[in-house]
Amino acid sequence: MLKKYVKTFLSFILAAVFLVSACGSIEGPEIWIYASIIGVALIVYAVYSFVSDKQEEKR
Amino acid sequence: MRELLKSKARRIELVLALVLFLAEGFLYLTFRSTELNMFRLYEHAGPWVNSLREWGSALSVPQWVRYSLPDGLWLLSYLLLVDAIWNKFDKVSCVWYLIMPAVAFGSELAQVWWGLTGTADLMDFVCYAVAVGVTLIVIYSKNYIRKRIAAYA
């Protein structure tokens, strides 16, 4: 079984790659602003999940 | 990472997702407008992109294959990869499962209501819905097989 924090890390990388690829499929630069907002939210959630998974594993 | 490739179902999901992602990229490169952001990257890729586009322009392909199918393939590819990583839909994994469908449906709705660049199209919604439906079938099938195996064990 993959550890939970490894899954979280892989999911974050995957979401980031697909978010960038989604921006590539749209015209105009303004999409990068929306993508940045989603990206920051993803980073915050990934860090929170990563830390709580690690703490859970320690226990 | 080796753990990810141990299960046969996961291996199938990973290969299928990669094929779908490449197919999506192929459709975008061949048939879509060069005004898209991705073509800023590909303008340095050399003449093969132009050859591909010339070949594509000679083909008669339905509109929905050009404009909607790639989006559905993109979403299905993401969902299969997430399912290969998490292997089940639960409280912890649901955010990762739901983030890209939310982005996909949200971007279409933003095109309708807030004038985001792009053309909102019913077929885009249909392709996204099919991608989500196929993923649900995959998740339920895996759960069903898992339960049957557990019952026999």
Side-chain angles (χ1 to χ4, degrees):
Chain A
M1 282 285 284
L2 281 174
K3 286 180 177 156
K4 228 195 253 179
Y5 67 87
V6 178
K7 290 180 179 182
T8 301
F9 177 72
L10 289 175
S11 302
F12 170 71
I13 299 291
L14 188 66
V17 168
F18 272 75
L19 192 61
V20 171
S21 78
C23 293
S25 66
I26 290 177
E27 289 174 31
E30 84 265 32
I31 190 65
W32 295 106
I33 300 166
Y34 301 114
S36 307
I37 296 165
I38 298 169
V40 169
L42 268 181
I43 290 169
V44 170
Y45 180 74
V47 170
Y48 165 76
S49 302
F50 194 84
V51 170
S52 54
D53 293 345
K54 273 277 195 189
Q55 280 175 344
E56 196 178 294
E57 182 145 313
K58 267 184 196 168
R59 272 187 243 129
Chain B
M1 287 299 280
R2 207 174 295 155
E3 290 289 332
L4 203 60
L5 299 170
K6 264 188 183 170
S7 146
K8 194 176 177 183
R10 273 180 168 171
R11 280 202 301 267
I12 292 170
E13 276 185 317
L14 287 171
V15 171
L16 192 60
L18 188 68
V19 169
L20 294 175
F21 193 72
L22 290 175
E24 178 242 347
F26 170 78
L27 288 172
Y28 263 104
L29 281 179
T30 312
F31 299 116
R32 297 298 287 269
S33 156
T34 49
E35 295 297 310
L36 300 180
N37 290 329
M38 64 164 62
F39 283 95
R40 288 177 197 189
L41 188 72
Y42 288 114
E43 66 191 17
H44 306 293
W48 66 273
V49 176
N50 290 331
S51 310
L52 188 67
R53 293 180 66 78
E54 275 171 29
W55 172 78
S57 64
L59 295 176
S60 156
V61 175
Q63 293 282 313
W64 72 272
V65 174
R66 285 172 191 247
Y67 295 108
S68 304
L69 182 64
D71 299 344
L73 296 178
W74 168 83
L75 186 58
L76 183 57
S77 168
Y78 172 80
L79 288 169
L80 288 177
L81 285 170
V82 170
D83 193 54
I85 292 171
W86 287 95
N87 218 18
K88 63 178 176 185
F89 184 88
D90 58 16
K91 257 199 301 192
V92 183
S93 64
C94 71
V95 171
W96 300 112
Y97 274 96
L98 295 177
I99 182 77
M100 284 305 144
V103 167
F105 285 106
S107 71
E108 289 298 319
L109 293 175
Q111 285 170 14
V112 177
W113 288 328
W114 299 306
L116 183 74
T117 319
T119 313
D121 181 16
L122 182 65
M123 274 312 288
D124 289 352
F125 282 103
V126 171
C127 286
Y128 287 142
V130 169
V132 172
V134 169
T135 309
L136 287 176
I137 291 170
V138 169
I139 291 171
Y140 282 112
S141 306
K142 279 166 72 178
N143 278 346
Y144 178 75
I145 292 167
R146 220 175 282 143
K147 276 180 192 165
R148 288 294 294 263
I149 290 171
Y152 280 113

